[in-house]
Amino acid sequence: MLKISVTSKLDGIRSWSLQAIDTCPGSIESPGVLVPACRGCYATTGNYNYPNVRAPRLANREDWQRQEWADEMVAELERDRYFRWFDSGDVYNLALAEKILDVMQRTPWCKHWLPTRMHKFPKFRMVFDAMRELDNVSVRFSADSVDGSYTPGLHGSVIGPDAATYTDALGASLCRAYEHEGKCSGCRACWNKDIELICYPAHGVKMAKVIRLMSI
């Protein structure tokens, strides 16, 4: 059974998600060590730890493997105009990526945003390339840093200590959710294919600690 999430930050825009870290192979820097951006992952704190929030994400890891899943997702998105994949977790399995591509292809009325670190694994690149060919899809490869550094032409999103970090970033859009109580408030830049880079000022106690330790 499909388990769709609604996060308050996204103005009611829905998402399909998995449990963080467990489904994030791209978050591993070395055995037992996460990349800096994932050490302060918001999806491992706060509300994400409540059983009623964890349950659908755990269920989705099994549910997507059903033969009917893609058909049901297409029907589910009939009234959606924007959709986010993975407000937690990542597209850890190539078969899952192929099913998501199928859903995207069959829902041209809906704009899809998919942030990921799975571009690090060559076997996923063909699927991501196919997604990026679609007018209604924005695939953003996430940078691993928390100091605002990224690779131009590769990364589509990056985290930095604060808004001032990005004053010289060309072709970029600053996420201003911090000015609106942590909410998108009508902004849809993450879904906009014409914007090359989304810059996120760090937020949360856990991320602040990561940045502080990285600067020592």
Side-chain angles (χ1 to χ4, degrees), residues 63-72 99 102 106:
D63 188 61
W64 73 263
Q65 300 177 57
R66 292 186 296 113
Q67 184 176 351
E68 306 83 5
W69 183 84
D71 292 339
E72 292 179 8
K99 282 193 172 185
D102 181 34
R106 295 164 62 191

Side-chain angles (χ1 to χ4, degrees), residues 120-184:
K120 299 175 182 179
F121 302 93
K123 67 180 181 179
F124 285 85
R125 293 307 293 268
M126 186 175 295
V127 178
F128 289 148
D129 287 346
M131 289 179 179
R132 286 178 146 178
E133 288 292 320
L134 300 174
D135 292 338
N136 61 319
V137 177
S138 173
V139 177
R140 295 194 178 276
F141 297 160
S142 303
D144 290 335
S145 72
V146 293
D147 61 4
S149 59
Y150 65 97
T151 301
L154 173 64
H155 294 130
S157 64
V158 62
I159 297 171
D162 51 47
T165 307
Y166 308 111
T167 54
D168 297 325
L170 298 177
S173 177
L174 175 66
C175 176
R176 296 188 177 277
Y178 66 93
E179 297 177 346
H180 306 286
E181 299 180 339
K183 294 178 169 49
C184 295

